[in-house]
Amino acid sequence: MERINRFMKCASLRLKTITAEDEWVYDEEPHSKRRKDILKAHPEIKELMGYDSNIAYIVAAEVIIQLFVSYLLRDASWTTIFVLAYMLGGVLNHSLGSAIHEIGHNLAYGHAHPVKNRLLSLLCNVPIIAPMAISYRKYHADHHRYLGEENQDVDIPTRLESYLFRHPITKIIWLIFHPAIHALRPFYKSPKPITGWEMINNAVQLGVNVVILKVLGVKSLVYLLSGTFMGLGLHPLAGHFISEHYEFTNEGQATTSYYGPLNFILFNVGYHIEHHDFPYIPYNKLPEVRKIAPEFYQQPYHTSWIKVLWDFIFDKNHGPQARTVGYHVRSKSNSEEKYENGHVANGHVKEE
């Protein structure tokens, strides 16, 4: 039986750097054909497309909680601030970051109401402190359009990153500073002109930050900013950054899903193959895609983001160089086969 559920044109950034550049051809992002095949077999999936405005109530509650906690911590000890920033602030701010991802696809109010979607994303951005909602949306669109294309998919680490961060200690450093690296990478890898909405985002967030600083004080501001930096850095929830598009099997799989309880916190971001197949299906309906078309979702998947991070750090085959890129179109040499054969499926990646 033809293995229609595989992505066999992708390899790692590491492999690409040791082969001739002109022997790699970027053809089509790997979910395009899958989308057509799935819809041909299951046209009823179109009924799942749309939006879910209820996300506005969830993010509003998270923003209120974060601001209230920052108020309570205005005179707390620095130890209390940093512990709560990791355990609570990091969780809520990461959840709001995932909401920004969802809203960036216009899945809160639909494509007919772009302004309402943008304004809601600005609300999500308030406790995050760093203005990122609009810029993220702009570059994330290219991540979907050019998934695996080394230069235009800014989610792919640079070759310098893949060279510098190979030892467990340096990979831990990379994970700690990943929020800053990930935020700055688009601006030097594939810069785009600043938009009006980005200027609004910057101005609004600057105003909010000044108010927080003046009214609540520096400790409240530090709590919120630390929650962002910690929650998106070396944190269990941040395992999704690695699980989504890094090589963990020998299948040449461009995208990998995570099916576990933490999806509840991050708006089902773990259903990542499903999301790339159908980026206009809201988060609460992504599990239905897998139920309707199970034959297309037999790929290996993750069950633990903590295990993902552990293997990323301590497995010598992992690191920024293990990020998938597309597409290798020639026969592999013996050395390349030997290298790829070293990538065995890990314990947390399950086969169905």
Side-chain angles (χ1 to χ4, degrees), residues 17 57 213 269:
T17 61
Y57 300 108
L213 183 61
V269 71

Side-chain angles (χ1 to χ4, degrees), residues 75-106:
D75 296 317
S77 68
W78 286 111
T79 300
T80 300
I81 287 171
F82 287 121
V83 169
L84 283 179
Y86 190 86
M87 298 181 65
L88 176 62
V91 172
L92 290 175
N93 278 7
H94 201 133
S95 180
L96 287 167
S98 294
I100 287 174
H101 164 260
E102 185 79 3
I103 298 163
H105 284 282
N106 292 325

Side-chain angles (χ1 to χ4, degrees), residues 4-7 28-46 49 105 141 143-147 255 272-281 289 293 296-297 299:
I4 57 176
N5 59 335
R6 303 296 190 191
F7 308 110
E28 180 182 52
E29 73 90 9
H31 291 269
S32 295
K33 186 174 188 304
R34 281 178 51 82
R35 185 178 304 116
K36 297 173 185 176
D37 291 341
I38 295 171
L39 287 176
K40 182 177 180 180
H42 300 280
E44 65 271 25
I45 286 179
K46 291 181 180 179
M49 297 179 184
H105 284 282
H143 168 63
H144 277 265
R145 187 177 298 114
Y146 303 109
L147 177 64
T255 309
H272 216 65
I273 297 177
E274 294 85 345
H275 170 65
H276 272 270
D277 285 343
F278 301 102
Y280 300 130
I281 291 179
V289 175
F296 287 90
Y297 296 97
Q299 301 88 353

Side-chain angles (χ1 to χ4, degrees), residues 79 98 101 122 155 166 196 206 243:
T79 300
S98 294
H101 164 260
L122 297 188
D155 189 61
R166 297 186 180 186
L206 177 61
S243 71

Side-chain angles (χ1 to χ4, degrees), residues 125-139:
N125 206 148
V126 167
I128 294 174
I129 300 300
M132 49 78 69
I134 305 301
S135 295
Y136 173 83
R137 177 182 182 272
K138 179 174 68 174
Y139 288 103

Side-chain angles (χ1 to χ4, degrees), residues 4 19 32 65 75 96 121 129 139 147 153 162-163 171 173-174 189 206 225 231 253 259 266 284 290 301 310 328 331:
I4 57 176
T19 57
S32 295
I65 292 171
D75 296 317
L96 287 167
S121 70
I129 300 300
Y139 288 103
L147 177 64
D153 181 357
S162 72
Y163 176 77
K171 286 189 278 188
I173 294 173
W174 186 83
K189 188 175 183 181
L206 177 61
L225 183 59
Q253 192 168 311
Y259 304 125
L266 298 189
N284 58 334
R290 189 174 182 233
Y301 60 89
W310 180 272
H328 205 201
S331 299

